[in-house]
């Protein structure tokens, strides 16, 4: 599943090719994605002002409104020439001047495309989202405040998009390892100092993943067609029953909220 780093990598890849260019039209080969895709005439001829990201949404902003794209479980975007033959899962082309298209490929069709007139931050999918983990407000104090009275496992809190967005399962596992915190520990029992370390760990893990173009996932290919190779840097995720790189102790696996969780019983307390 494309996670925040993959979406940010995609954003950085398509931004220079779109900003300042004009949306000349679109081709909806399959408008039935997670929600039906409807694009208004007002979008035609609009110049792209910016390509932004909020959580795992990509926002293509114009003066008349914005196109909000989510890659769902298996979606990817690539820039190609209009004449490039479309495959069976190439559902939507957003046509750009110069006979180029931004092509959405999505085998499982859990992705979505919405148009929003006015401020996209007020769109119903976006307005109630938690803060961005790479923003300055995301720090130990923020997490410590959010954890007050929460008896839920810290890993679940970290993955709660109403609190902080974009910390998917892989990144939650890796951040907790880096911070030396057990995934099942009750959020309310963690000190402010440990939260400061955790916030820093989340930012470092995400920044590293973005630098590497995301994690290797079967369906994810970045805008240039390369696969991400962040998976080579994973310390715990997918390494249940293998020795910890840091201390040699056998890593333990368990499920928290149905999600695969791996930790080192020695390094994480
Ligand atoms: Zn260890």
């Amino acid at each position: 599943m494309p996670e925040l780093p993959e979406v940010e990598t995609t954003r950085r890849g398509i931004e220079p090719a779109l900003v300042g260019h004009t949306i000349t039209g679109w081709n909806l080969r399959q408008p039935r994605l997670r929600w039906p895709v409807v694009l208004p005439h007002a979008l035609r001829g609009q110049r792209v002002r910016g390509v932004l990201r909020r959580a795992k949404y990509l926002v293509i902003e114009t003066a008349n409104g914005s196109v909000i794209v989510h890659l769902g479980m298996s979606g990817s975007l690539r820039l190609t020439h209009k004449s490039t033959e479309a495959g069976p899962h190439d559902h939507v082309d957003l046509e750009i001047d110069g006979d180029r298209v931004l092509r959405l490929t999505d085998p499982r069709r859990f992705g979505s495309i919405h148009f929003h007139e006015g401020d996209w931050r007020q769109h119903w999918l976006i307005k109630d989202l938690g803060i961005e983990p790479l923003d300055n407000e995301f720090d130990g104090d923020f997490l410590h405040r959010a954890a007050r009275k929460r008896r839920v496992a810290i890993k679940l809190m970290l993955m709660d998009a109403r609190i902080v967005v974009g910390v998917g399962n892989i990144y939650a596992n890796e951040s907790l390892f880096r911070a030396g915190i057990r995934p099942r520990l009750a959020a309310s029992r963690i000190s402010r100092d440990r939260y400061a370390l955790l916030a820093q760990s989340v930012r470092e893990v995400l920044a590293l993943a973005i630098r590497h173009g995301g994690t290797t996932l079967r369906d994810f290919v970045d805008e240039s067609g390369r696969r991400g190779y962040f998976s080579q840097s994973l310390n715990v995720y997918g390494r249940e029953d293998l020795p910890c790189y840091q201390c040699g102790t056998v890593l333990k696996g368990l499920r928290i909220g149905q999600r695969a969780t791996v930790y080192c019983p020695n390094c994480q307390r």
Side-chain angles (χ1 to χ4, degrees):
M1 188 191 311
E3 298 283 354
L4 187 150
E6 286 84 350
V7 177
E8 178 61 22
T9 301
T10 300
R11 189 196 70 76
R12 291 177 186 187
I14 65 177
E15 181 185 36
L18 294 187
V19 173
H21 290 275
T22 303
I23 297 171
T24 54
W26 45 86
N27 184 359
L28 306 180
R29 292 183 201 86
Q30 172 53 281
R32 294 166 66 88
L33 301 182
R34 182 163 183 190
W35 291 282
V37 180
V38 181
L39 294 173
H41 289 298
L43 184 61
R44 206 179 298 269
Q46 284 299 301
R47 188 178 289 263
V48 175
R49 290 203 299 211
V51 179
L52 304 108
R53 181 189 58 76
R54 176 76 172 98
K56 296 202 285 181
Y57 294 95
L58 283 164
V59 181
I60 301 168
E61 204 178 46
T62 79
N64 268 5
S66 301
V67 180
I68 302 170
V69 182
H70 195 284
L71 299 175
M73 306 287 285
S74 59
S76 62
L77 286 170
R78 76 180 63 215
L79 281 154
T80 186
H81 195 268
K82 203 171 173 174
S83 64
T84 307
E85 199 177 330
H89 304 299
D90 292 341
H91 302 311
V92 178
D93 283 355
L94 194 61
E95 297 166 354
I96 314 295
D97 56 27
D99 284 333
R100 295 169 309 147
V101 296
L102 181 64
R103 183 163 285 176
L104 174 73
T105 307
D106 188 0
R108 296 181 64 182
R109 289 201 272 134
F110 280 105
S112 67
I113 299 180
H114 287 88
F115 178 81
H116 186 74
E117 218 180 311
D119 184 3
W120 58 267
R121 291 167 191 83
Q122 296 308 315
H123 189 264
W124 63 276
L125 285 167
I126 290 177
K127 64 181 170 57
D128 296 324
L129 291 171
I131 71 170
E132 287 285 330
L134 298 173
D135 280 359
N136 288 331
E137 302 93 85
F138 180 73
D139 59 12
D141 283 345
F142 170 83
L143 281 175
H144 191 247
R145 272 197 312 276
R148 237 178 263 160
K149 294 182 194 159
R150 277 180 203 269
R151 303 181 68 177
V152 67
I154 177 57
K155 181 163 178 259
L156 287 178
M157 189 182 101
L158 210 49
M159 293 179 67
D160 185 341
R162 291 165 303 180
I163 297 171
V164 55
V165 296
V167 184
N169 191 38
I170 296 173
Y171 303 106
N173 274 295
E174 292 299 312
S175 303
L176 287 165
F177 174 78
R178 195 177 267 244
I181 296 172
R182 284 212 184 187
R184 200 148 56 176
L185 204 56
S188 59
R189 297 187 54 196
I190 298 171
S191 70
R192 192 184 301 256
D193 283 354
R194 299 190 84 194
Y195 270 127
L197 186 57
L198 180 58
Q200 190 192 328
S201 301
V202 169
R203 301 163 76 105
E204 284 170 1
V205 165
L206 289 173
L208 188 69
I210 290 168
R211 218 176 307 140
H212 287 268
T215 314
T216 300
L217 292 166
R218 193 165 37 101
D219 295 318
F220 176 74
V221 179
D222 79 5
E223 78 288 348
S224 60
R226 277 179 302 127
R227 281 177 187 271
Y229 45 94
F230 177 67
S231 61
Q232 291 165 2
S233 325
L234 296 176
N235 283 300
V236 285
Y237 183 82
R239 300 197 63 246
E240 183 177 346
D241 296 332
L242 293 171
C244 172
Y245 289 134
Q246 212 159 270
C247 73
T249 303
V250 172
L251 299 177
K252 270 195 176 166
L254 71 150
R255 297 224 146 223
I256 297 178
Q258 332 284 329
R259 306 302 300 275
T261 303
V262 185
Y263 72 100
C264 174
N266 180 47
C267 296
Q268 292 171 261
R269 303 279 169 153

